[in-house]
Amino acid sequence: MPVELDNWFIREILVHEAALARYLARCWRHRDELIDLRQEVYARVYEAAGRSLPTQPKAFLFATARHLITDRLRRGRVVSIEPMGDFEPSHVLIDEVSPERWSGGRQMLARIADAFDRLPDRCREVVWLRRVEELSQKEVAVRLGISEKTVEKHIAKGMRLLAGHMHGGDAVDAAPAVETEAPHGRQQAD
């Protein structure tokens, strides 16, 4: 079987080497790892074909490459949680936060929440989606059915009002309305 498998591999898989190399170069940012990545794809395909030959070798080759890249990306996101040894020398003290500092942090959080709650509804929604949920400007615009320019205006207004409230009191209520798009291209206040 190994000679048969080798012949199949040469005939059905290796003929796509240039296309596979281009695909990997397009999908994997670490250029120095491309050769190893390609070899690992080949090893996985060869091993799987040893058990059962795929009916669509080219599709199987590229699916294997895609899965390998996905696996590597996933592994790259995993954070290793290994003890560094004794915590004393690394100066990590859990009790370092004083009661005053903790209380000050809680008060600041309450002020931010209060300022956020005072934002106009649409402005608050845009700021939340953009800054908290970290959606792109385009994603926010699509989700809310408004233009990207309107999203920009709401973000600018929201940040200005939040900063004003944090540094100067009740500036949230005193700001002018943001212009948004009406259904027929007219501008309306929000």
Side-chain angles (χ1 to χ4, degrees):
M1 172 81 176
V3 173
E4 254 179 65
L5 182 59
D6 290 348
N7 289 336
W8 173 86
F9 190 81
I10 292 167
R11 186 179 63 252
E12 299 292 337
I13 300 298
L14 287 183
V15 297
H16 304 293
E17 184 168 16
L20 177 63
R22 284 191 304 274
Y23 175 77
L24 293 174
R26 206 171 46 247
C27 296
W28 192 251
R29 67 178 177 262
H30 304 291
R31 299 288 175 235
D32 56 325
E33 297 176 5
L34 289 175
I35 294 172
D36 291 337
L37 194 63
R38 187 178 64 208
Q39 287 307 111
E40 192 170 342
V41 170
Y42 286 155
R44 286 185 179 193
V45 168
Y46 190 87
E47 183 181 323
R51 291 188 298 270
S52 172
L53 291 177
T55 56
Q56 297 179 337
K58 183 178 180 182
F60 183 74
L61 172 69
F62 284 92
T64 302
R66 187 176 62 251
H67 291 213
L68 178 61
I69 288 170
T70 303
D71 289 347
R72 284 202 175 185
L73 288 172
R74 226 181 262 131
R75 260 187 269 134
R77 287 189 198 132
V78 174
V79 177
S80 175
I81 303 175
E82 296 177 14
M84 294 177 9
D86 189 13
F87 285 112
E88 292 284 314
S90 63
H91 304 292
V92 177
L93 301 175
I94 307 275
D95 299 327
E96 189 175 304
V97 178
S98 68
E100 294 83 13
R101 189 170 171 199
W102 183 84
S103 177
R106 300 281 297 173
Q107 288 173 355
M108 180 64 78
L109 185 59
R111 280 190 77 181
I112 292 170
D114 181 52
F116 189 77
D117 287 342
R118 291 177 175 211
L119 291 175
D121 292 342
R122 180 57 71 129
C123 185
R124 182 175 52 244
E125 190 174 15
V126 169
V127 170
W128 180 268
L129 292 173
R130 187 77 175 97
R131 298 293 189 218
V132 178
E133 292 189 21
E134 297 181 337
L135 295 180
S136 71
Q137 189 168 306
K138 186 174 190 166
E139 291 170 323
V140 173
V142 169
R143 184 179 286 188
L144 298 179
I146 59 178
S147 72
E148 288 186 56
K149 188 70 173 169
T150 303
V151 171
E152 276 181 41
K153 288 179 181 180
H154 280 297
I155 290 295
K157 176 185 178 182
M159 293 297 106
R160 185 180 66 249
L161 294 175
L162 289 172
H165 181 75
M166 297 304 294
H167 298 292
D170 290 335
V172 168
D173 298 327
V178 169
E179 295 294 318
T180 58
E181 295 174 353
H184 298 291
R186 296 181 317 243
Q187 298 290 316
Q188 69 181 26
D190 192 28

